[in-house]
């Protein structure tokens, strides 16, 4: 049985690791939050006392951490995992991080003979739970071939975006579009509701018309329009607004490096930073709806 170390059991990591257990992998789990480890241990994972302990005898390591600094701290430096893992270990780094951080981690892995992919995901917590995530993958095609069975236990679409870091570039582009769609949808929902439309009726009209998009399909920001969305659960769970602010910052940095103009990305970043300043950073990113509800008579 393939033994996998899973590090980072948050909103995404926990359901992803659960799917590996369901697929028959032996999972050795670590998170800084003990209750997350306990939860997965109750479902058959081996609890670990540290990230390094989780990697003992593991053929593969998966990490699902918040941001670049967590990933660099985990892998780089003398006490980082890459200095300790045996040659030939497969590492799947699934967090959304700066392409530059991904390059640093790729470089350190290559120096140690460790095969690594940057493999950020899309599909949200629902996709993580259902095992239908999209993986955007950067690295060697041969490494992807080795990783394929593990990735397919957690996801449905595997895209080889290109060489080292290409997965992260694809991910920041995707999240720029997602944020703009979310903000535009929230704006339109508030406008329609303030002018007397039933939010459910408006959502269905737009969903089936030329304004239709992923947010209208699965993630409507207006509370009560769709069941089981974060907006219908007080904006809890899902994808935290502060993580969206991080990803929009990465998109702006990437655009600066390549000399691209991304005005809508800049505006989206401004609005997500505003939400964080308002103390809403831990809420789902659809909480942007609350910026636009003024004038709503409901
Ligand atoms: P989260 O904050 O819920 O989970 C991160 C987990 O990592 C936490 O449980 C935290 O305790 C743990 N952690 C932090 N540092 C650690 C360390 N050094 N060792 C072990 N554990 C550590 O975040 P999330 O929503 O699960 O997102 C994880 C990543 O996936 C982020 O990069 C995010 O941008 C990306 N992402 C999230 C979603 C989503 O819908 N939530 C979707 C796609 C991509």
């Amino acid at each position: 049985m393939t033994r996998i170390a899973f590090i980072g059991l948050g909103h995404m990591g926990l359901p992803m690791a659960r799917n590996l257990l369901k697929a028959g992998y032996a999972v050795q789990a670590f998170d800084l939050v003990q209750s997350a480890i306990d939860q997965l241990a109750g479902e058959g994972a081996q609890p670990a006392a540290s990230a390094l302990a989780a990697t003992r005898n593991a053929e593969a390591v998966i990490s699902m951490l918040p941001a670049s600094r967590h990933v660099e701290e985990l892998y780089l430096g003398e006490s980082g995992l890459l200095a300790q893992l045996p040659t030939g270990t497969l590492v799947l780094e699934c967090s959304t991080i700066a392409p530059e951080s991904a390059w640093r981690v790729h470089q350190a892995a290559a120096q140690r003979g460790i095969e690594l992919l940057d493999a950020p995901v899309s599909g949200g917590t629902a996709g993580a739970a259902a095992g239908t995530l999209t993986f955007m993958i950067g690295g060697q095609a041969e490494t992807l071939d080795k990783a394929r069975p593990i990735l397919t236990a957690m996801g449905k679409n595997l895209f080889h975006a290109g060489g080292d870091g290409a997965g992260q570039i694809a991910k920041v582009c995707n999240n720029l579009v997602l944020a703009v769609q979310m903000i535009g949808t929230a704006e339109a929902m508030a406008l329609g509701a303030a002018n007397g439309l039933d939010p459910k009726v408006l959502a269905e009209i737009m969903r089936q018309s030329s304004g239709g998009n992923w947010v209208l399909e699965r993630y409507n920001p207006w509370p009560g329009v769709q069941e089981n969305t974060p907006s219908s659960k007080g904006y809890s769970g899902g994808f935290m607004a502060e993580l969206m602010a991080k990803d929009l910052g990465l998109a702006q940095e990437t655009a600066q490096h390549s000399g691209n103009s991304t005005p809508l990305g800049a505006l989206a970043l401004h609005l997500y930073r505003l939400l964080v300043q308002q103390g809403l950073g831990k809420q789902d990113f659809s909480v942007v709806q609350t910026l636009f509800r003024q004038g709503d008579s409901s």
Side-chain angles (χ1 to χ4, degrees):
M1 187 194 291
T2 306
R3 194 169 289 278
I4 299 175
F6 205 110
I7 299 159
L9 306 167
H11 288 107
M12 296 295 286
L14 190 66
M16 288 165 71
R18 196 174 272 144
N19 281 329
L20 292 173
L21 284 171
K22 281 189 203 150
Y25 289 103
V27 176
Q28 302 181 158
F30 178 68
D31 193 289
L32 297 178
V33 176
Q34 186 61 39
S35 59
I37 304 179
D38 294 344
Q39 200 172 337
L40 201 67
E43 299 174 31
Q46 184 76 35
S50 67
L52 183 60
T55 68
R56 191 165 302 135
N57 299 325
E59 285 105 310
V61 177
I62 301 179
S63 46
M64 195 54 173
L65 302 179
S68 302
R69 71 180 169 86
H70 308 92
V71 172
E72 294 201 27
E73 275 169 28
L74 177 70
Y75 287 112
L76 302 181
E78 278 173 26
S79 55
L81 282 190
L82 291 175
Q84 330 262 346
L85 290 172
T87 303
T89 310
L90 175 65
V91 177
L92 307 176
E93 208 309 287
C94 297
S95 329
T96 305
I97 59 172
E100 291 75 22
S101 285
W103 291 323
R104 276 194 280 279
V105 176
H106 269 285
Q107 200 174 33
Q111 280 166 3
R112 292 269 302 113
I114 289 166
E115 294 178 284
L116 185 139
L117 295 174
D118 53 293
V121 306
S122 171
T125 48
T132 56
L133 290 172
T134 293
F135 284 91
M136 307 171 197
I137 298 154
Q140 307 267 346
E142 305 78 57
T143 311
L144 172 53
D145 285 340
K146 278 193 195 164
R148 206 172 282 280
I150 296 176
L151 293 172
T152 6
M154 301 181 286
K156 195 172 62 169
N157 298 313
L158 311 186
F159 289 110
H160 189 202
D164 297 354
Q168 296 297 347
I169 305 264
K171 177 63 186 173
V172 298
C173 293
N174 180 75
N175 275 22
L176 190 160
V177 175
L178 173 62
V180 169
Q181 278 182 359
M182 177 57 84
I183 294 165
T185 303
E187 243 179 65
M189 289 299 300
L191 180 65
N195 284 280
L197 292 195
D198 178 336
K200 281 193 180 176
V201 173
L202 173 60
E204 189 55 16
I205 292 170
M206 294 195 293
R207 189 182 74 81
Q208 297 208 45
S209 304
S210 45
N213 64 55
W214 186 89
V215 170
L216 283 164
E217 286 294 335
R218 306 197 201 166
Y219 219 103
N220 198 295
W222 196 273
V225 166
Q226 284 167 330
E227 285 177 16
N228 291 324
T229 52
S231 62
S232 294
K233 295 186 270 186
Y235 297 105
S236 64
F239 179 44
M240 290 187 283
E242 65 184 25
L243 291 182
M244 181 53 99
K246 171 206 58 160
D247 292 356
L248 290 166
L250 296 178
Q252 289 306 105
E253 281 168 33
T254 307
Q256 267 167 18
H257 281 147
S258 55
N260 279 72
S261 160
T262 49
L264 287 182
L267 181 56
L269 173 60
H270 172 76
L271 293 176
Y272 274 97
R273 283 195 176 147
L274 189 65
L275 288 168
V276 173
Q277 278 165 16
Q278 289 182 353
L280 299 173
K282 302 281 181 212
Q283 304 228 262
D284 178 74
F285 79 117
S286 57
V287 75
V288 74
Q289 183 69 74
T290 59
L291 294 180
F292 303 117
R293 292 194 70 166
Q294 297 89 337
D296 162 26
S297 54
S298 66

